[in-house]
Amino acid sequence: MSVLVVAEHRRGDLRDVSYEAITAGRELADERDGDLHVAVVGGDVDAFAEELNREGVDAIHAVDDGEEFDHNAYQAAAAELADRIDAGAVVLPNSVNGLDYAPALAEDLGVTLVTDAVGIEYDDGLTVTREMYGSKVETTVDVAGDRFVLTVRGGEWPPAEGVGDATVETAEVDLPESGARVTGFEEVGGGDVDIADADVLVSVGRGIEEEENLELVEELADALGATLSASRPIVDNGWLPKNRQVGQSGKVVTPDVYIAVGISGAVQHVAGMKGSDTIVAINTDPNAPIFDIADYGIVGDLFDVVPELVDEFA
Amino acid sequence: MKVLVTVKEVAEADDDFAIEGTDIAESDLEYDLNEWDDYAVEAAVQLAESGVADEVVAVTVGPERSEETIRMALAKGADRAVRVWDDALEGSFPDVASKVDLFEAVVDEEEPDLILGGVQAADTGFGATGVALAERIGFEHAAVVNHLDVDADEGIAHVHRELEGGVEELTDVDLPAVLTVQTGLNEPRYASLRGIRQAQRKEIAAKDLSDLGLTADDVESALTITSMYEPESESDAEIIEGDAGESAGRLAEVLREKGVGA
């Protein structure tokens, strides 16, 4: 049974998750002895189609409509192509845009949806590995039925490589009138400091508890000659401006040293800092995911450890 | 304008927890209002306070215990609440479609103009119910909204959607619509003592499947959790032992070796 992957692009570039979804889609197609079809909707579809023609892709469908993501167009194109090729599975990136139409697509097709897969296995039926309880546990989930929409987490599958010999065709799809219109884009939080340029970052998370306590990590950053950054909750609370946020929706940083203070290490945060040369974590919870990617860790209360560390450099 | 806000009581695992079968041991779980939904409640209440919304109704799917959570929404300013539960839902891992069945039935009764909910639930992290519901009931939608401005006269919600990498998409969504909100949309208020007292007197209508014209077959889930385990750590982190002073001292040495503070 064939598998359809829908690629994702933004402002003229295909996003890496598109190639990762192709790898996941190929895996499923192999298990089900089917072809792998890839759809690309909007933008420079011809150039995109060429780039998406990687090893393992059997067919590419280019739907020439609009420049940027429009969930109605994506949903309509995916639904129609899934019907045309009799797709057993539609695989999409578990991205912000994926989540903006995958649930509607599954509902439209009348098939089961499983989001944020980190692993898949197909043996008579689909079993998906997912995380729960804020990444504290992994689960395997059996999916009844043989048709589904699946979104795959970024960074879990290697990107498809090589040059394929897929057939490429322009697909005409009836696109509905949209009641949601994209009117533009906005870069957030330019600000005075670019944390992406810093060699050393002291990054603060939820563990700091109160805004007043930020002073403590500011002192540490000063003592170390480092730049202060933060995880999402600190920015959500308005304690630091958006340009200080590290993570999937914030900045991707690659400093020489990244010191995570009171940060548990949610997957969205890790996506923004895992490329740091040396990662240091200070956290009370020994099971916090941040320790999985740290090079050095202190399991302890930041309110005890940080003042001592400030003294060391004073 | 009537605003329906979907809220969920989510379970959070303690730092130390045990797994029993295919779930975390009940004694190691704590229940709270889903963080993302807290922002949705705040957005709904702000719409009421600014005169855009006439009524805010909170709806949840959950057992009796979850009334505690939904009272938080009432204490923060929702006018009344609907709680849906049925023995048929006990112990299952509901799929998106069955949750949508339940919410659709509530929408049919309430006929809201705008539905707000968190973009995802902290426990299952599915991130799907709102958008699937919109498709089912024929509403427009936008997911991962981090800025909201409702123009009731024009019938449009001007939203920002938070994309990856510090980029926001500006979108106009025709009402009626379902919007799923991201944290950071606003500053959720604490429930005041007065609000908490008032919440005790507000109505929480309990509905089961038959009240909603549904049967157990409608909510049969296509998903079954077959195993749960702690992910294997691939960490090769050097954990620095000792009291705060000792560990800070050792860490300082490491940092100096890396050229920090030089």
Side-chain angles (χ1 to χ4, degrees), chain A residues 127-130 138-142, chain B residues 224-229:
Chain A
T127 300
V128 180
T129 305
R130 298 182 81 252
E138 258 179 27
T139 59
T140 52
V141 181
D142 278 1
Chain B
T224 313
I225 296 181
T226 46
S227 70
M228 181 178 284
Y229 47 89

Side-chain angles (χ1 to χ4, degrees), chain A residues 23 36 40 50 58 81 138 150 186 201 238 243 251 313:
Chain A
T23 303
L36 177 65
V40 59
E50 205 170 303
D58 296 300
L81 289 169
E138 258 179 27
L150 186 69
E186 214 171 82
L201 282 171
N243 64 332
K251 282 263 164 71
F313 285 90

Side-chain angles (χ1 to χ4, degrees), chain A residues 8 10-11 15 69 71-72 75 94-97 99-105 107-108 112-116 127 129-144 177-188 200 206 223-225 232-233 236-238 242 245 247-251 256-257 259 268 278 280 282 284-287 291-299 301 304-305 308-309 312-313, chain B residues 11-17 19 22-24 29 35 39 93 95-97 100 119-120 122-129 131-132 135-136 140-144 146 156 160-174 182-187 221-241 244-245 247-258 260-262:
Chain A
E8 184 167 320
R10 182 175 305 151
R11 302 169 107 181
R15 302 192 66 231
F69 176 77
H71 61 225
N72 283 299
Q75 182 188 332
N94 193 73
S95 58
V96 168
N97 283 343
L99 290 178
D100 197 43
Y101 79 107
L105 175 66
E107 179 66 29
D108 188 0
T112 303
L113 170 71
V114 186
T115 61
D116 206 18
T127 300
T129 305
R130 298 182 81 252
E131 291 182 345
M132 268 178 74
Y133 298 113
S135 300
K136 284 191 169 171
V137 296
E138 258 179 27
T139 59
T140 52
V141 181
D142 278 1
V143 186
E177 186 84 357
S178 180
R181 298 159 300 277
V182 177
T183 59
F185 292 91
E186 214 171 82
E187 305 276 348
V188 289
V200 183
R206 214 186 272 267
L224 299 179
R232 168 162 210 121
D236 279 349
N237 286 342
K242 183 91 185 166
Q245 186 183 326
Q248 205 160 51
S249 53
K251 282 263 164 71
D256 299 334
V257 178
I259 305 171
Q268 293 85 353
T278 300
V280 178
I282 302 170
T284 47
D285 176 6
N287 299 316
F291 288 119
D292 290 347
I293 57 153
D295 300 290
Y296 299 92
I298 294 179
V299 178
D301 191 335
D304 298 330
V305 177
E308 297 281 353
L309 198 52
E312 290 286 338
F313 285 90
Chain B
E12 196 184 321
D14 295 340
D15 283 351
D16 289 314
F17 62 87
I19 293 170
T22 56
D23 208 346
I24 290 177
L29 291 175
E35 186 182 0
Y39 288 84
F93 182 59
D95 58 15
V96 177
V100 167
V119 66
Q120 64 175 339
D123 49 6
T124 59
F126 244 79
T129 309
V131 172
E135 174 69 17
R136 176 80 66 86
E140 294 296 334
H141 74 263
V144 198
N146 72 343
I156 293 175
H160 292 199
R161 296 182 54 239
E162 183 188 78
L163 305 181
E164 295 86 352
V167 178
E168 293 182 5
E169 179 200 277
L170 283 54
T171 301
D172 288 346
V173 186
D174 292 343
Q182 174 62 294
T183 60
L185 172 71
N186 47 41
E187 281 182 47
S221 178
L223 305 179
T224 313
I225 296 181
T226 46
S227 70
M228 181 178 284
Y229 47 89
E230 287 188 59
E232 266 174 50
S233 172
E234 289 156 16
S235 172
D236 51 3
E238 181 186 322
I239 300 297
I240 300 171
E241 309 282 351
S247 56
R250 169 78 187 106
L251 178 57
E253 283 172 32
V254 169
L255 291 174
R256 286 203 179 92
E257 278 166 29
K258 305 275 173 196
V260 176

Side-chain angles (χ1 to χ4, degrees), chain A residues 202-241:
Chain A
V202 170
S203 208
V204 56
R206 214 186 272 267
I208 199 72
E209 293 171 5
E210 304 280 342
E211 185 172 12
E212 300 87 81
N213 299 335
L214 275 184
E215 211 176 303
L216 191 60
V217 280
E218 278 165 0
E219 278 175 31
L220 178 61
D222 280 350
L224 299 179
T227 302
L228 188 63
S229 59
S231 67
R232 168 162 210 121
I234 302 301
V235 174
D236 279 349
N237 286 342
W239 298 349
L240 285 174

